[in-house]
Amino acid sequence: MDRFTAVERALRDAAPHALLDALRASLARHFGALTVDLLMADYGTTILQPVGPLPYPTEPVPVHSTEPGRAFASQQPRLFPDERSGTVTAHLPVTVRGDRLGVLSVTLPGEGASPEALGELRQLCEALGREILVADHSTDVYLKARRAERLTLAAEMQWQLLPGRSCSGPEYELGAQLEPAYAVFGDNFDWSVSADHLTVTLTDGMGEGVDAALLTNLALSALRNARRAGLDLVGQAVLADQAVYGQHRGSAHVSVLLLRIHLATGRLEAVDAGSPRIWRLRGGAVEPVGLEAQLPLGMFEDTPYAVQHFRIEAGDRLLFASDGVYEVASHSGERFGERALARAMTSTRLLPPSQVPRAVLAELARHRGEPPADDDAMVLCLDWHGRRS
């Protein structure tokens, strides 16, 4: 058995809570690893938290200005040779299908840090990421390591609904972020990929706290139920509208933007039922994508919905934002969506979609100034590459 297969098998055979212990022992045996540490990205994607028993064995690592942070941000390995000890520390991104989970830091003897060994370690990081996602169904170890502070109950509910924070395929890349990460209550996003379509859903439940989280949970569960039953976008909107109205009889509603992209052609279908909006960056120019506004889900009984169509081109970047982003006003009264959002899209055009939401939210904080945010903020960035023949 070769060493890669041996380590991968050790991961598969390990108990869900003991993945890191199994990995340390196996990498020491087969690669000569001296130290092995796993750092998980926190909910705000600002720090990398060590996996281990509380209190954590090491301090959190900032994403900015550190070698592990640079590996996480760039999604490329970072090597740090130590001439005094004759060792090399490799910081390797742990990512599964575009979903960035964290960084694995491995210290090897200098002679063991060959290109072949580093290539195998990168593949093992992907295997580790898959095992972590499976283990999350059975243990809280890795979920605990993702939080720098305690989540509110509403935020706990919202984060458990998410499919991830980034995703990629041959035709697209996308990334998203919610703020305030540890106290979000109404905003949420969802996506699903099939052989033919990418479906993206952005929701914003009215209200605050647990009430908003429960409302969003109901709407998103109804949308997923309709999608998994094979209904089109209109059918999904209608079923979710009936579910929300049936529960609240018009006293509460959910703003939703439903999108389905045909992967082969870039043809996009949309149902705009509320406040999330779209901006497009094409050829260096930013412009809002105008859609016909329809009623939010649950306002009235038997609300009709209609699909609109437009096409996206290879090289397009779409940015989706909730009203907690574009409606935020500066001290002078200028709303972020008027000019600042377009400037933020232009200034971040060279960043990958997984990094854009955090950068845009940082620009939003500077635009807002001192007063704390009084609403959720949701940003989702989608790069369209198109299908190559």
Side-chain angles (χ1 to χ4, degrees), residues 156-201:
E156 187 83 51
M157 295 167 66
Q158 294 294 58
W159 282 104
Q160 291 301 310
L161 284 176
L162 297 181
R165 283 179 296 196
S166 51
C167 180
S168 63
E171 302 88 358
Y172 64 90
E173 293 178 73
L174 59 85
Q177 179 65 27
L178 300 176
E179 284 292 332
Y182 291 85
V184 64
F185 39 78
D187 288 0
N188 210 284
F189 54 83
D190 191 27
W191 55 68
S192 176
V193 185
S194 68
D196 299 317
H197 297 97
L198 167 65
T199 302
V200 179
T201 305

